[in-house]
Amino acid sequence: MNQPETIAFVEAEGIETLKADKTHAAPEVDDLLRQLGNTGGSIPFYAIFPAGNPNKPILLDGLLASPGQIIAKFEQAIGKANSEGMTSETVMATPVR
């Protein structure tokens, strides 16, 4: 997530980010993870809340192989398409887990 490409995209699009810290016990973070469907509390876990539809977050769990994977989800959230009319997600390979 903290890669130059991701940071540049977030800044350019005016996306607000928030990091929940589980270094120490954080019941409020655990509650939010459960509400989002992450019943095992696995980390890393990402939730992107689209401004136009915040009640339907885009969820990602596990390690991401490239900045392009998170950028594609951000593009999906903001409805941004590339020159072919597709979001980056549609042209990316499925992440390896």
Side-chain angles (χ1 to χ4, degrees):
M1 178 77 174
N2 286 328
Q3 297 296 315
E5 302 93 336
T6 308
I7 293 168
F9 185 86
V10 165
E11 290 174 356
E13 296 297 332
I15 296 170
E16 295 289 327
T17 62
L18 173 69
K19 180 178 180 180
D21 187 357
K22 284 188 48 98
T23 304
H24 304 286
E28 66 280 4
V29 173
D30 294 331
D31 289 343
L32 180 58
L33 288 172
R34 278 191 293 278
Q35 290 174 20
L36 291 169
N38 184 347
T39 56
S42 65
I43 300 294
F45 185 83
Y46 304 92
I48 300 171
F49 297 88
N53 201 358
N55 293 325
K56 294 200 177 199
I58 299 166
L59 306 175
L60 299 113
D61 63 350
L63 296 175
L64 302 174
S66 73
Q69 292 173 295
I70 192 78
I71 290 171
K73 295 298 183 179
F74 282 138
E75 288 177 334
Q76 178 185 346
I78 63 176
K80 190 172 188 175
N82 64 25
S83 61
E84 287 81 39
M86 300 185 303
T87 62
S88 296
E89 179 185 9
T90 60
V91 296
M92 290 182 57
T94 304
V96 176
R97 295 191 188 234

Coordinates of all heavy atoms in Angstrom, one line a residue:
M1 N 0.8 -1.2 0.0 CA 0.0 0.0 0.0 C 0.9 1.3 0.0 O 0.6 2.2 -0.7 CB -0.9 -0.1 1.2 CG -1.8 1.1 1.4 SD -3.2 1.1 0.2 CE -4.1 2.5 0.8
N2 N 1.9 1.2 0.7 CA 2.8 2.4 0.8 C 3.9 2.4 -0.2 O 5.1 2.5 0.1 CB 3.4 2.5 2.2 CG 2.4 3.0 3.2 OD1 1.5 3.8 2.9 ND2 2.6 2.5 4.5
Q3 N 3.5 2.2 -1.5 CA 4.4 2.2 -2.6 C 4.2 3.6 -3.3 O 3.2 4.2 -3.3 CB 4.1 1.1 -3.6 CG 4.3 -0.3 -3.0 CD 5.7 -0.5 -2.6 OE1 6.6 -0.2 -3.4 NE2 5.9 -1.0 -1.4
P4 N 5.3 4.1 -4.0 CA 5.2 5.4 -4.6 C 4.0 5.5 -5.6 O 3.3 6.6 -5.6 CB 6.5 5.5 -5.4 CG 7.5 4.6 -4.6 CD 6.6 3.5 -4.1
E5 N 3.7 4.5 -6.4 CA 2.6 4.5 -7.3 C 1.3 4.7 -6.6 O 0.4 5.4 -7.0 CB 2.5 3.3 -8.2 CG 3.8 3.0 -9.0 CD 4.8 2.1 -8.3 OE1 4.8 2.0 -7.0 OE2 5.6 1.4 -9.0
T6 N 1.1 3.9 -5.5 CA -0.2 4.0 -4.8 C -0.3 5.3 -4.1 O -1.4 6.0 -4.1 CB -0.2 2.9 -3.7 OG1 0.1 1.6 -4.4 CG2 -1.6 2.8 -3.1
I7 N 0.7 5.8 -3.5 CA 0.7 7.1 -2.8 C 0.4 8.2 -3.8 O -0.5 9.1 -3.5 CB 2.0 7.4 -2.1 CG1 2.2 6.3 -0.9 CG2 2.1 8.8 -1.6 CD1 3.6 6.3 -0.3
A8 N 1.0 8.2 -4.9 CA 0.8 9.2 -6.0 C -0.7 9.2 -6.4 O -1.3 10.2 -6.6 CB 1.7 9.0 -7.1
F9 N -1.3 8.0 -6.6 CA -2.6 7.8 -7.1 C -3.6 8.4 -6.0 O -4.5 9.1 -6.3 CB -3.0 6.4 -7.4 CG -4.3 6.2 -8.0 CD1 -4.6 6.3 -9.3 CD2 -5.4 5.9 -7.2 CE1 -5.8 6.2 -9.9 CE2 -6.7 5.8 -7.7 CZ -6.9 5.9 -9.1
V10 N -3.4 8.0 -4.8 CA -4.2 8.4 -3.7 C -4.2 10.0 -3.6 O -5.3 10.6 -3.4 CB -3.8 7.8 -2.3 CG1 -4.4 8.5 -1.1 CG2 -4.2 6.3 -2.4
E11 N -3.0 10.5 -3.6 CA -2.9 12.0 -3.6 C -3.6 12.7 -4.8 O -4.3 13.7 -4.6 CB -1.4 12.4 -3.4 CG -0.8 12.0 -2.1 CD 0.7 12.3 -2.0 OE1 1.3 12.7 -3.0 OE2 1.2 12.1 -0.9
A12 N -3.3 12.2 -6.0 CA -3.9 12.8 -7.2 C -5.4 12.7 -7.2 O -6.1 13.7 -7.7 CB -3.3 12.1 -8.4
E13 N -6.0 11.7 -6.6 CA -7.4 11.5 -6.6 C -8.1 12.1 -5.4 O -9.3 12.0 -5.3 CB -7.8 10.1 -6.8 CG -7.4 9.5 -8.1 CD -8.0 10.1 -9.3 OE1 -9.2 10.6 -9.2 OE2 -7.4 10.1 -10.4
G14 N -7.3 12.6 -4.4 CA -7.9 13.1 -3.2 C -8.6 12.1 -2.3 O -9.6 12.3 -1.7
I15 N -8.0 10.9 -2.4 CA -8.6 9.8 -1.6 C -8.1 9.9 -0.1 O -7.0 10.1 0.1 CB -8.2 8.4 -2.2 CG1 -8.8 8.2 -3.6 CG2 -8.6 7.2 -1.3 CD1 -8.2 7.1 -4.4
E16 N -9.1 9.8 0.8 CA -8.8 9.8 2.2 C -8.5 8.4 2.7 O -9.2 7.4 2.4 CB -10.0 10.3 3.0 CG -10.3 11.8 2.7 CD -9.3 12.7 3.3 OE1 -8.7 12.5 4.3 OE2 -9.1 13.8 2.6
T17 N -7.4 8.2 3.4 CA -7.0 6.9 3.9 C -7.0 6.9 5.4 O -6.8 7.9 6.1 CB -5.6 6.5 3.4 OG1 -4.6 7.4 3.9 CG2 -5.6 6.4 1.9
L18 N -7.2 5.7 6.0 CA -7.2 5.5 7.4 C -6.5 4.2 7.7 O -6.9 3.2 7.0 CB -8.6 5.6 8.0 CG -8.8 5.2 9.5 CD1 -8.2 6.3 10.3 CD2 -10.2 5.0 9.8
K19 N -5.6 4.1 8.7 CA -5.0 2.9 9.0 C -5.4 2.5 10.4 O -5.3 3.3 11.4 CB -3.4 3.1 9.0 CG -2.7 1.8 9.3 CD -1.2 2.1 9.2 CE -0.4 0.9 9.5 NZ 1.1 1.1 9.4
A20 N -5.9 1.3 10.6 CA -6.3 0.8 11.9 C -5.1 0.0 12.5 O -4.6 -0.9 11.8 CB -7.5 -0.1 11.8
D21 N -4.6 0.3 13.6 CA -3.4 -0.3 14.2 C -3.8 -1.4 15.2 O -4.5 -1.2 16.1 CB -2.6 0.8 14.9 CG -1.3 0.3 15.5 OD1 -1.0 -0.9 15.3 OD2 -0.6 1.2 16.0
K22 N -3.3 -2.6 14.9 CA -3.6 -3.7 15.8 C -2.3 -4.1 16.5 O -2.2 -5.3 17.0 CB -4.2 -4.9 15.0 CG -5.6 -4.7 14.7 CD -6.3 -5.9 14.1 CE -6.0 -7.2 14.8 NZ -7.0 -7.7 15.7
T23 N -1.3 -3.2 16.6 CA -0.1 -3.5 17.4 C -0.4 -3.9 18.8 O 0.2 -4.8 19.4 CB 0.9 -2.3 17.3 OG1 1.1 -1.9 16.0 CG2 2.2 -2.6 18.0
H24 N -1.4 -3.2 19.4 CA -1.9 -3.5 20.7 C -3.4 -3.9 20.6 O -4.0 -3.6 19.6 CB -1.7 -2.3 21.6 CG -0.3 -1.8 21.6 ND1 0.7 -2.5 22.3 CD2 0.3 -0.7 21.1 CE1 1.9 -1.8 22.2 NE2 1.7 -0.8 21.4
A25 N -3.9 -4.4 21.7 CA -5.3 -4.8 21.7 C -6.2 -3.6 21.3 O -6.0 -2.4 21.7 CB -5.8 -5.2 23.1
A26 N -7.1 -3.8 20.3 CA -7.9 -2.7 19.8 C -9.3 -3.3 19.5 O -9.6 -3.7 18.4 CB -7.3 -2.2 18.5
P27 N -10.1 -3.4 20.5 CA -11.5 -4.0 20.3 C -12.3 -3.4 19.3 O -13.1 -4.0 18.6 CB -12.1 -3.9 21.7 CG -11.1 -3.5 22.7 CD -9.9 -3.0 21.9
E28 N -12.2 -2.0 19.1 CA -12.9 -1.3 18.1 C -12.5 -1.8 16.7 O -13.3 -1.8 15.8 CB -12.8 0.2 18.3 CG -11.4 0.8 18.0 CD -10.4 0.6 19.2 OE1 -10.7 0.0 20.2 OE2 -9.3 1.2 19.0
V29 N -11.2 -2.0 16.5 CA -10.8 -2.5 15.2 C -11.3 -3.9 15.0 O -11.8 -4.3 13.9 CB -9.2 -2.5 15.1 CG1 -8.7 -3.1 13.8 CG2 -8.7 -1.1 15.2
D30 N -11.2 -4.8 16.0 CA -11.7 -6.2 15.9 C -13.2 -6.2 15.5 O -13.7 -6.9 14.7 CB -11.5 -6.9 17.2 CG -10.0 -7.2 17.4 OD1 -9.2 -7.2 16.4 OD2 -9.6 -7.3 18.6
D31 N -14.0 -5.3 16.2 CA -15.4 -5.2 15.9 C -15.7 -4.7 14.4 O -16.5 -5.3 13.8 CB -16.1 -4.1 16.8 CG -16.2 -4.6 18.3 OD1 -16.0 -5.8 18.5 OD2 -16.4 -3.8 19.1
L32 N -14.9 -3.8 13.9 CA -15.1 -3.3 12.6 C -14.7 -4.4 11.6 O -15.4 -4.7 10.6 CB -14.2 -2.1 12.3 CG -14.3 -1.5 10.9 CD1 -15.7 -1.2 10.5 CD2 -13.4 -0.3 10.7
L33 N -13.6 -5.2 11.9 CA -13.2 -6.3 11.0 C -14.4 -7.3 10.9 O -14.7 -7.8 9.8 CB -12.0 -7.0 11.5 CG -10.7 -6.2 11.3 CD1 -9.5 -6.8 12.0 CD2 -10.4 -5.9 9.8
R34 N -15.0 -7.6 12.1 CA -16.1 -8.6 12.1 C -17.3 -8.0 11.3 O -17.9 -8.8 10.5 CB -16.5 -8.9 13.5 CG -15.7 -10.0 14.2 CD -16.3 -10.5 15.5 NE -16.3 -9.4 16.5 CZ -15.2 -9.1 17.3 NH1 -14.1 -9.7 17.1 NH2 -15.4 -8.1 18.2
Q35 N -17.6 -6.8 11.4 CA -18.7 -6.2 10.7 C -18.5 -6.2 9.2 O -19.4 -6.3 8.4 CB -18.9 -4.7 11.1 CG -19.5 -4.6 12.5 CD -19.5 -3.1 13.0 OE1 -19.4 -2.2 12.1 NE2 -19.5 -2.9 14.3
L36 N -17.2 -6.1 8.8 CA -16.9 -6.2 7.4 C -16.8 -7.6 6.8 O -16.5 -7.8 5.7 CB -15.6 -5.4 7.1 CG -15.6 -3.9 7.3 CD1 -14.2 -3.3 7.3 CD2 -16.5 -3.3 6.2
G37 N -17.0 -8.6 7.7 CA -17.0 -10.0 7.3 C -15.6 -10.7 7.5 O -15.5 -11.8 7.1
N38 N -14.7 -10.0 8.1 CA -13.4 -10.6 8.4 C -13.4 -11.2 9.8 O -12.9 -10.7 10.7 CB -12.3 -9.6 8.3 CG -10.9 -10.1 8.5 OD1 -10.7 -11.3 8.9 ND2 -9.9 -9.3 8.2
T39 N -14.2 -12.4 9.9 CA -14.4 -13.0 11.2 C -13.2 -13.5 11.8 O -13.1 -13.6 13.1 CB -15.5 -14.1 11.1 OG1 -15.0 -15.0 10.1 CG2 -16.8 -13.5 10.7
G40 N -12.2 -13.9 11.1 CA -10.9 -14.4 11.6 C -10.0 -13.3 12.0 O -8.9 -13.6 12.6
G41 N -10.3 -12.1 11.7 CA -9.4 -10.9 12.0 C -8.1 -10.9 11.3 O -7.1 -10.5 11.8
S42 N -8.0 -11.5 10.1 CA -6.8 -11.6 9.3 C -6.3 -10.2 8.9 O -7.0 -9.3 8.6 CB -7.0 -12.5 8.1 OG -7.9 -11.9 7.2
I43 N -5.0 -10.1 8.9 CA -4.3 -8.9 8.5 C -3.2 -9.2 7.5 O -2.6 -10.3 7.7 CB -3.6 -8.3 9.8 CG1 -4.7 -8.0 10.9 CG2 -2.8 -7.0 9.4 CD1 -5.7 -6.9 10.5
P44 N -3.0 -8.5 6.5 CA -3.7 -7.3 6.2 C -5.1 -7.5 5.6 O -5.4 -8.5 5.1 CB -2.8 -6.6 5.1 CG -2.1 -7.8 4.4 CD -2.0 -8.9 5.5
F45 N -5.9 -6.4 5.8 CA -7.3 -6.4 5.3 C -7.6 -5.0 4.9 O -7.3 -4.1 5.6 CB -8.2 -6.9 6.4 CG -9.6 -7.0 6.0 CD1 -10.1 -8.1 5.4 CD2 -10.5 -6.0 6.2 CE1 -11.4 -8.3 5.0 CE2 -11.9 -6.1 5.8 CZ -12.3 -7.2 5.2
Y46 N -8.1 -4.8 3.7 CA -8.4 -3.5 3.2 C -9.9 -3.4 2.9 O -10.5 -4.3 2.4 CB -7.6 -3.3 1.9 CG -6.1 -3.5 2.0 CD1 -5.6 -4.7 1.7 CD2 -5.3 -2.4 2.4 CE1 -4.2 -4.9 1.8 CE2 -3.9 -2.6 2.5 CZ -3.4 -3.8 2.2 OH -2.0 -4.0 2.3
A47 N -10.4 -2.2 3.3 CA -11.8 -1.9 2.9 C -11.8 -0.5 2.3 O -11.3 0.5 2.8 CB -12.7 -1.9 4.2
I48 N -12.3 -0.5 1.1 CA -12.4 0.8 0.3 C -13.9 1.1 0.3 O -14.7 0.4 -0.2 CB -11.9 0.6 -1.1 CG1 -10.4 0.2 -1.0 CG2 -12.1 1.9 -1.9 CD1 -9.8 -0.2 -2.4
F49 N -14.2 2.3 0.8 CA -15.6 2.8 0.9 C -15.9 3.8 -0.2 O -15.5 5.0 -0.1 CB -15.9 3.4 2.3 CG -15.8 2.4 3.4 CD1 -14.6 2.2 4.0 CD2 -16.9 1.6 3.8 CE1 -14.5 1.2 5.1 CE2 -16.8 0.7 4.8 CZ -15.6 0.5 5.5
P50 N -16.5 3.4 -1.3 CA -16.7 4.3 -2.4 C -17.6 5.5 -2.0 O -18.6 5.3 -1.3 CB -17.4 3.5 -3.5 CG -17.1 2.1 -3.1 CD -17.0 2.1 -1.6
A51 N -17.2 6.7 -2.3 CA -18.0 7.9 -1.9 C -19.5 7.8 -2.3 O -20.4 8.2 -1.6 CB -17.4 9.1 -2.5
G52 N -19.7 7.2 -3.5 CA -21.1 7.2 -4.0 C -21.9 6.0 -3.5 O -23.1 5.9 -3.7
N53 N -21.2 5.1 -2.8 CA -21.9 3.9 -2.3 C -21.1 3.3 -1.1 O -20.6 2.2 -1.1 CB -22.0 2.8 -3.4 CG -23.1 1.8 -3.1 OD1 -23.8 1.9 -2.1 ND2 -23.3 0.9 -4.0
P54 N -21.0 4.1 0.0 CA -20.2 3.7 1.2 C -20.7 2.5 1.9 O -20.0 1.9 2.7 CB -20.2 5.0 2.0 CG -21.4 5.7 1.7 CD -21.7 5.4 0.2
N55 N -22.0 2.1 1.7 CA -22.5 1.0 2.4 C -22.1 -0.3 1.7 O -22.5 -1.4 2.1 CB -24.0 1.1 2.5 CG -24.4 2.2 3.5 OD1 -23.7 2.5 4.4 ND2 -25.5 2.9 3.2
K56 N -21.4 -0.2 0.6 CA -20.9 -1.4 -0.1 C -19.4 -1.3 -0.3 O -19.0 -1.0 -1.4 CB -21.7 -1.6 -1.5 CG -23.1 -1.9 -1.3 CD -23.7 -2.5 -2.5 CE -25.2 -2.8 -2.2 NZ -25.8 -3.7 -3.1
P57 N -18.7 -1.6 0.7 CA -17.2 -1.4 0.6 C -16.6 -2.5 -0.3 O -17.2 -3.6 -0.4 CB -16.7 -1.6 2.0 CG -17.8 -2.3 2.7 CD -19.1 -2.0 2.1
I58 N -15.5 -2.2 -0.9 CA -14.7 -3.1 -1.7 C -13.7 -3.7 -0.8 O -12.9 -2.9 -0.2 CB -14.1 -2.4 -2.9 CG1 -15.2 -1.8 -3.8 CG2 -13.2 -3.4 -3.7 CD1 -14.6 -0.8 -4.8
L59 N -13.7 -5.0 -0.6 CA -12.8 -5.7 0.4 C -11.7 -6.4 -0.2 O -11.9 -7.1 -1.2 CB -13.7 -6.6 1.3 CG -14.9 -5.9 1.9 CD1 -15.7 -7.0 2.7 CD2 -14.5 -4.8 2.9
L60 N -10.5 -6.4 0.4 CA -9.4 -7.1 -0.1 C -8.7 -7.7 1.2 O -8.5 -6.9 2.1 CB -8.4 -6.2 -0.8 CG -8.8 -5.6 -2.1 CD1 -8.9 -4.1 -1.9 CD2 -7.9 -5.9 -3.2
D61 N -8.3 -8.9 1.2 CA -7.6 -9.4 2.3 C -6.3 -10.2 1.8 O -6.3 -10.6 0.6 CB -8.4 -10.3 3.2 CG -8.9 -11.6 2.5 OD1 -8.8 -11.7 1.3 OD2 -9.4 -12.5 3.2
G62 N -5.3 -10.2 2.6 CA -4.1 -10.9 2.2 C -3.1 -9.9 1.6 O -3.4 -8.7 1.5
L63 N -2.0 -10.4 1.3 CA -0.9 -9.6 0.7 C -1.2 -9.3 -0.7 O -1.7 -10.1 -1.5 CB 0.4 -10.2 0.9 CG 0.9 -10.5 2.3 CD1 2.2 -11.3 2.3 CD2 1.1 -9.2 3.0
L64 N -0.9 -8.1 -1.2 CA -1.1 -7.7 -2.5 C 0.3 -7.7 -3.2 O 1.3 -7.3 -2.7 CB -1.7 -6.3 -2.6 CG -3.0 -6.1 -1.9 CD1 -3.4 -4.6 -1.9 CD2 -4.1 -6.9 -2.5
A65 N 0.2 -8.3 -4.4 CA 1.5 -8.6 -5.2 C 2.0 -7.3 -5.8 O 3.2 -7.2 -6.1 CB 1.3 -9.6 -6.2
S66 N 1.2 -6.3 -6.1 CA 1.7 -5.1 -6.8 C 0.8 -3.9 -6.4 O -0.4 -4.1 -6.1 CB 1.6 -5.3 -8.3 OG 0.3 -5.3 -8.8
P67 N 1.3 -2.7 -6.6 CA 0.5 -1.5 -6.3 C -0.7 -1.5 -7.3 O -1.7 -0.9 -6.9 CB 1.5 -0.4 -6.6 CG 2.8 -0.9 -6.4 CD 2.7 -2.4 -6.8
G68 N -0.6 -2.1 -8.5 CA -1.7 -2.1 -9.4 C -2.9 -2.7 -8.9 O -4.0 -2.3 -9.3
Q69 N -2.8 -3.7 -8.0 CA -4.0 -4.3 -7.5 C -4.8 -3.4 -6.7 O -6.0 -3.3 -6.8 CB -3.6 -5.6 -6.7 CG -3.0 -6.7 -7.6 CD -2.5 -7.8 -6.7 OE1 -1.5 -7.6 -6.0 NE2 -3.1 -8.9 -6.9
I70 N -4.2 -2.6 -5.8 CA -5.0 -1.7 -4.9 C -5.4 -0.5 -5.8 O -6.5 0.0 -5.6 CB -4.2 -1.3 -3.7 CG1 -5.1 -0.6 -2.7 CG2 -3.0 -0.4 -4.0 CD1 -6.0 -1.5 -1.9
I71 N -4.6 -0.1 -6.7 CA -5.0 1.1 -7.6 C -6.2 0.7 -8.4 O -7.2 1.5 -8.6 CB -3.8 1.5 -8.5 CG1 -2.8 2.2 -7.6 CG2 -4.3 2.4 -9.6 CD1 -1.5 2.5 -8.3
A72 N -6.3 -0.6 -8.9 CA -7.4 -1.0 -9.7 C -8.7 -1.0 -8.8 O -9.8 -0.6 -9.3 CB -7.2 -2.5 -10.2
K73 N -8.6 -1.3 -7.5 CA -9.8 -1.3 -6.6 C -10.2 0.2 -6.4 O -11.4 0.5 -6.3 CB -9.5 -2.0 -5.4 CG -9.3 -3.5 -5.6 CD -10.6 -4.2 -6.2 CE -10.4 -5.6 -6.3 NZ -11.6 -6.3 -6.8
F74 N -9.2 1.1 -6.2 CA -9.5 2.5 -6.0 C -10.2 3.0 -7.3 O -11.2 3.7 -7.2 CB -8.2 3.3 -5.8 CG -7.7 3.2 -4.4 CD1 -6.3 3.1 -4.2 CD2 -8.5 3.3 -3.3 CE1 -5.8 3.1 -2.9 CE2 -8.0 3.2 -2.0 CZ -6.7 3.1 -1.8
E75 N -9.7 2.6 -8.5 CA -10.3 3.1 -9.7 C -11.8 2.5 -9.8 O -12.7 3.3 -10.3 CB -9.5 2.6 -10.9 CG -8.2 3.3 -11.1 CD -7.4 2.8 -12.2 OE1 -7.5 1.6 -12.6 OE2 -6.6 3.6 -12.8
Q76 N -12.0 1.3 -9.4 CA -13.3 0.8 -9.3 C -14.2 1.6 -8.4 O -15.4 1.9 -8.8 CB -13.3 -0.7 -8.9 CG -14.6 -1.3 -8.7 CD -14.5 -2.7 -8.1 OE1 -13.5 -3.3 -8.0 NE2 -15.7 -3.3 -7.7
A77 N -13.7 2.0 -7.3 CA -14.5 2.7 -6.3 C -14.8 4.1 -6.8 O -15.9 4.6 -6.5 CB -13.7 2.9 -5.0
I78 N -13.9 4.8 -7.6 CA -14.2 6.1 -8.1 C -14.8 6.1 -9.5 O -15.1 7.2 -10.0 CB -13.0 7.0 -8.0 CG1 -11.9 6.5 -8.9 CG2 -12.5 7.2 -6.6 CD1 -10.6 7.4 -8.9
G79 N -15.0 4.9 -10.1 CA -15.6 4.8 -11.4 C -14.6 5.3 -12.5 O -15.1 5.7 -13.6
K80 N -13.4 5.2 -12.3 CA -12.4 5.7 -13.3 C -12.1 4.6 -14.2 O -11.7 3.5 -13.8 CB -11.1 6.2 -12.6 CG -10.2 6.9 -13.5 CD -9.0 7.5 -12.6 CE -8.2 8.4 -13.5 NZ -7.2 9.1 -12.8
A81 N -12.1 4.9 -15.5 CA -11.8 3.9 -16.6 C -10.6 4.3 -17.4 O -10.3 5.5 -17.5 CB -13.0 3.7 -17.5
N82 N -9.9 3.3 -17.9 CA -8.8 3.7 -18.8 C -9.3 4.0 -20.2 O -10.5 4.1 -20.5 CB -7.7 2.6 -18.8 CG -8.2 1.3 -19.4 OD1 -9.1 1.3 -20.2 ND2 -7.6 0.2 -19.0
S83 N -8.4 4.3 -21.1 CA -8.7 4.7 -22.5 C -9.6 3.7 -23.2 O -10.3 4.0 -24.2 CB -7.5 5.1 -23.3 OG -6.6 3.9 -23.4
E84 N -9.5 2.4 -22.9 CA -10.3 1.4 -23.5 C -11.7 1.3 -22.8 O -12.5 0.4 -23.2 CB -9.6 0.0 -23.5 CG -8.5 0.0 -24.5 CD -7.2 0.6 -23.9 OE1 -7.0 0.4 -22.7 OE2 -6.5 1.2 -24.6
G85 N -12.0 2.1 -21.8 CA -13.3 2.0 -21.1 C -13.3 1.0 -20.1 O -14.4 0.7 -19.6
M86 N -12.2 0.4 -19.7 CA -12.2 -0.7 -18.7 C -11.4 -0.2 -17.5 O -10.4 0.6 -17.7 CB -11.6 -2.0 -19.2 CG -12.3 -2.6 -20.4 SD -11.6 -4.2 -20.9 CE -9.9 -3.8 -21.2
T87 N -11.8 -0.6 -16.3 CA -11.0 -0.3 -15.2 C -9.7 -1.2 -15.2 O -9.7 -2.2 -15.9 CB -11.7 -0.5 -13.8 OG1 -12.1 -1.9 -13.7 CG2 -13.0 0.3 -13.7
S88 N -8.7 -0.8 -14.5 CA -7.5 -1.6 -14.5 C -7.7 -3.0 -14.0 O -7.1 -4.0 -14.4 CB -6.4 -1.0 -13.6 OG -6.1 0.3 -14.1
E89 N -8.7 -3.2 -13.1 CA -9.0 -4.5 -12.6 C -9.3 -5.5 -13.7 O -9.0 -6.7 -13.7 CB -10.1 -4.4 -11.6 CG -10.5 -5.7 -11.0 CD -11.7 -5.6 -10.1 OE1 -12.4 -4.6 -10.1 OE2 -12.0 -6.6 -9.5
T90 N -10.0 -5.0 -14.8 CA -10.4 -6.0 -15.8 C -9.3 -6.4 -16.7 O -9.4 -7.4 -17.3 CB -11.5 -5.3 -16.7 OG1 -11.0 -4.1 -17.3 CG2 -12.8 -5.0 -15.9
V91 N -8.2 -5.7 -16.6 CA -7.1 -6.1 -17.5 C -5.9 -6.7 -16.6 O -4.9 -7.0 -17.2 CB -6.5 -4.9 -18.3 CG1 -7.6 -4.5 -19.3 CG2 -6.1 -3.8 -17.5
M92 N -6.1 -6.8 -15.3 CA -5.0 -7.4 -14.5 C -5.2 -8.9 -14.2 O -6.3 -9.3 -14.2 CB -5.0 -6.7 -13.1 CG -4.6 -5.2 -13.2 SD -4.5 -4.5 -11.6 CE -3.5 -5.6 -10.7
A93 N -4.1 -9.5 -14.0 CA -4.2 -10.9 -13.6 C -4.7 -11.1 -12.2 O -4.6 -10.2 -11.4 CB -2.8 -11.6 -13.7
T94 N -5.3 -12.2 -11.9 CA -5.8 -12.5 -10.6 C -4.6 -12.6 -9.7 O -3.6 -13.3 -10.0 CB -6.6 -13.8 -10.6 OG1 -7.6 -13.7 -11.5 CG2 -7.1 -14.1 -9.2
P95 N -4.7 -12.0 -8.5 CA -3.5 -12.1 -7.5 C -3.3 -13.5 -7.1 O -4.2 -14.3 -6.9 CB -3.9 -11.2 -6.4 CG -5.4 -11.0 -6.5 CD -5.8 -11.2 -7.9
V96 N -2.0 -13.8 -6.9 CA -1.6 -15.1 -6.4 C -1.7 -15.1 -4.8 O -1.2 -14.2 -4.2 CB -0.2 -15.5 -6.8 CG1 0.3 -16.8 -6.2 CG2 -0.1 -15.5 -8.3
R97 N -2.3 -16.1 -4.2 CA -2.3 -16.1 -2.8 C -1.6 -17.3 -2.3 O -1.5 -18.3 -2.8 CB -3.8 -16.2 -2.3 CG -4.5 -15.0 -2.7 CD -5.8 -15.0 -2.0 NE -6.6 -13.9 -2.5 CZ -7.1 -12.9 -1.8 NH1 -7.0 -13.0 -0.5 NH2 -7.7 -11.9 -2.3

